[in-house]
Amino acid sequence: MNNVKSNLSNSRILVIGGGIGGLALALALQRRGMPVAVFERAPELGEVGAGVMLTPNATRALEHLGVLGEVEANATLPGLTTVRHFQTGEAMSSTDLGEAFTKQHGHRYYCVHRVDIHQALLKAVIKNDPQCVHTSHEFIDSMEIDGGVRAHFGNGKTVDGGLLVGCDGVRSVVRTKIGFQDGAKFTHNIAWRGLIPVEDLPVHQRGPEITIWSGPKRHVVEYTIRRGRIKNYVAIANSPAWEDEGWSKRSNIGAALREFEDWHQDVRAIIGATPVDRGYVWGLFDRDPLDHWSRGPLTLLGDAAHPMLPFLAQGAAMAIEDAIILARCLEKGSGVALALENYERLRLERTAWCQLQAREAGQLFQRVSKKSELDGDRAARAKQLYGYAADKVAL
Ligand SMILES: Cc1cc2nc3c(=O)[nH]c(=O)nc-3n(C[C@H](O)[C@H](O)[C@H](O)COP(=O)(O)OP(=O)(O)OC[C@H]3O[C@@H](n4cnc5c(N)ncnc54)[C@H](O)[C@@H]3O)c2cc1C
């Protein structure tokens, strides 16, 4: 499958995309003394995104990368997740995320702003090498050259390296260069998201815990970030069509309220409190799992390799885990081909499982499930997800 002869001792690893996956990989490589450069199409790496849940496997991975302290400084400790009935508000299932949970899984569960993870990684990468990140570099093509790969960018520049890693997200161009022509499929789910200063909400809605409101064909997830100062919510509903995808399409709060008009007043209070400039809407796209990610000196990582629906809160976690495992495989020094073979062997199954489980989790929350079903489902997944130690897994 992979007959590239490149030896990485004197050639850089080219990372395409400066999102969470790309920056985590750059940092994991730098920490192992390996040369790396990141190429990001955006003119600057700015303040985009909203809430992300950091499960213990992700927290552990950030600790290994040395940035957990920085992320924790702005994080919320939720302490509890409760699934509630969409109309009555009755608690149908609860999971304690406190001390016993932390002891069981080895690390804490946090709610954070995506930007805080991204900025912590960026700061650490630049501290190690101020020249590492190249913005305004949109990857358009690549060709195999003797001992490696040559990347072409939209600004006319070309760069050579020993390996090129596509960390370019759900619409990955690197993925198409590897030979996958599968388009991302619209799942008929759209998500309204909003960020609200907690003082704009009734006092009983300002707590740190995570609440999942479960209703037919719709569900809402809400929690606070930034040490409890900001309420983050995602309200998922069905939609026949969607033309756009992205993180910066402004939402119409009136339309969101109409969609949830028969829902509990606490849900409506949150949606209704969204400041006009802090509400967004996006379509949820999905792809089927792949059976390999690499061709010659090209491979994939994060959403480019395994985009997943957000219902398991594992998109960022899987990208960071990938980064640590890939860096560890490359560090072993037995050449790119073997490193990529090991990387796939260690990561394909787990990430494919997450992709499929994320689909199921969404369906579960959208059919007003029974308590036993909800409890059993969460406990089984938690065990498999949260105990994973990317820094320790045997290579
Ligand atoms: C702007 C943004 C905001 C997000 N906000 C949230 C959020 O609020 N909550 C949440 O749960 N998840 C969010 N996500 C998704 C989450 O961050 C990812 O699922 C997860 O972190 C996996 O990251 P990734 O690095 O694989 O992909 P991404 O985070 O999507 O990063 C991909 C990067 O590649 C760059 N890129 C794309 N194409 C090219 C190209 N041809 N050449 C060079 N660079 C390219 C993109 O600009 C982007 O910076 C967001 C993603 C983005 C891009």
Side-chain angles (χ1 to χ4, degrees):
M1 173 189 74
N2 207 327
N3 60 3
V4 64
K5 293 195 192 73
S6 130
N7 178 324
L8 285 172
S9 60
N10 55 9
S11 54
R12 275 187 306 179
I13 295 154
L14 312 180
V15 174
I16 307 299
I20 288 175
L23 293 177
L25 177 62
L27 186 55
L29 292 167
Q30 286 176 335
R31 288 169 70 87
R32 288 164 173 81
M34 305 178 81
V36 54
V38 177
F39 301 92
E40 164 59 44
R41 71 175 166 195
E44 55 188 66
L45 292 175
E47 295 270 313
V48 216
V52 177
M53 294 188 228
L54 277 183
T55 51
N57 50 318
T59 316
R60 178 188 182 111
L62 289 176
E63 184 174 57
H64 171 76
L65 291 176
V67 295
L68 180 59
E70 174 110 12
V71 173
E72 273 177 329
N74 263 318
T76 300
L77 261 179
L80 185 73
T81 300
T82 304
V83 182
R84 293 189 181 278
H85 186 276
F86 75 107
Q87 281 178 322
T88 65
E90 178 205 348
M92 303 193 305
S93 165
S94 285
T95 308
D96 194 325
L97 303 176
E99 284 312 309
F101 174 92
T102 304
K103 210 165 158 201
Q104 183 188 355
H105 299 293
H107 282 75
R108 287 182 168 157
Y109 193 124
Y110 286 114
C111 296
V112 299
H113 199 305
R114 174 187 181 269
V115 168
D116 296 335
I117 310 173
H118 191 252
Q119 286 298 312
L121 291 168
L122 182 63
K123 214 163 115 187
V125 166
I126 289 175
K127 192 169 169 207
N128 288 333
D129 174 8
Q131 311 303 326
C132 181
V133 180
H134 305 261
T135 50
S136 299
H137 276 68
E138 178 168 19
F139 170 82
I140 50 172
D141 205 354
S142 64
M143 59 186 284
E144 220 170 299
I145 55 170
D146 192 22
V149 56
R150 176 164 298 153
H152 296 264
F153 296 94
N155 58 13
K157 298 200 174 144
T158 58
V159 181
D160 293 351
L163 168 67
L164 183 147
V165 188
C167 307
D168 48 344
V170 65
R171 304 251 178 212
S172 169
V173 177
V174 179
R175 182 170 169 132
T176 60
K177 298 297 162 201
I178 290 177
F180 300 108
Q181 302 303 332
D182 57 327
K185 281 180 277 184
F186 179 53
T187 59
H188 297 281
N189 281 302
I190 55 168
W192 280 278
R193 295 185 309 147
L195 295 173
I196 305 157
V198 287
E199 56 273 17
D200 292 353
L201 292 169
V203 174
H204 76 276
Q205 290 187 265
R206 297 180 190 174
E209 61 278 351
I210 300 166
T211 304
I212 301 169
W213 297 87
S214 170
K217 297 195 173 167
R218 283 163 289 172
H219 76 276
V220 177
V221 182
E222 46 139 324
Y223 51 85
T224 66
I225 56 173
R226 298 249 159 103
R227 299 235 146 199
R229 294 192 301 274
I230 297 177
K231 174 76 82 178
N232 174 86
Y233 73 85
V234 186
I236 312 278
N238 283 191
S239 169
W242 183 261
E243 283 155 18
D244 207 352
E245 192 194 11
W247 292 92
S248 50
K249 199 171 150 69
R250 286 273 151 80
S251 71
N252 173 341
I253 300 304
L257 279 173
R258 277 194 296 283
E259 188 69 55
F260 291 89
E261 69 181 346
D262 55 343
W263 280 51
H264 193 278
Q265 60 189 19
D266 285 358
V267 174
R268 295 179 51 73
I270 291 175
I271 297 174
T274 316
V276 276
D277 61 339
R278 302 193 81 182
Y280 296 91
V281 61
W282 90 108
L284 297 185
F285 286 71
D286 199 10
R287 293 181 198 255
D288 290 327
L290 299 176
D291 62 3
H292 68 281
W293 296 333
S294 312
R295 187 168 60 82
L298 307 183
T299 195
L300 300 170
L301 181 150
D303 283 1
H306 44 68
M308 54 189 73
L309 292 168
F311 308 138
L312 271 194
Q314 289 298 313
M318 288 301 125
I320 303 167
E321 286 182 6
D322 286 350
I324 293 172
I325 297 284
L326 179 55
R328 289 182 61 210
C329 290
L330 291 164
E331 186 187 24
K332 271 185 97 179
S334 31
V336 170
L338 199 56
L340 295 185
E341 237 175 84
N342 277 335
Y343 168 57
E344 291 189 358
R345 179 177 54 78
L346 290 163
R347 295 300 298 163
L348 276 168
E349 195 182 329
R350 177 166 167 84
T351 54
W353 179 80
C354 273
Q355 284 178 284
L356 301 177
Q357 289 287 314
R359 288 181 189 168
E360 277 186 27
Q363 285 167 11
L364 186 76
F365 293 139
Q366 295 185 10
R367 63 167 183 256
V368 196
S369 310
K370 292 191 192 76
K371 176 169 167 42
S372 56
E373 200 181 359
L374 287 163
D375 286 348
D377 182 78
R378 294 174 71 81
R381 281 207 199 101
K383 197 160 185 276
Q384 190 147 349
L385 277 177
Y386 303 161
Y388 188 86
D391 55 315
K392 287 271 163 44
V393 167
L395 299 185

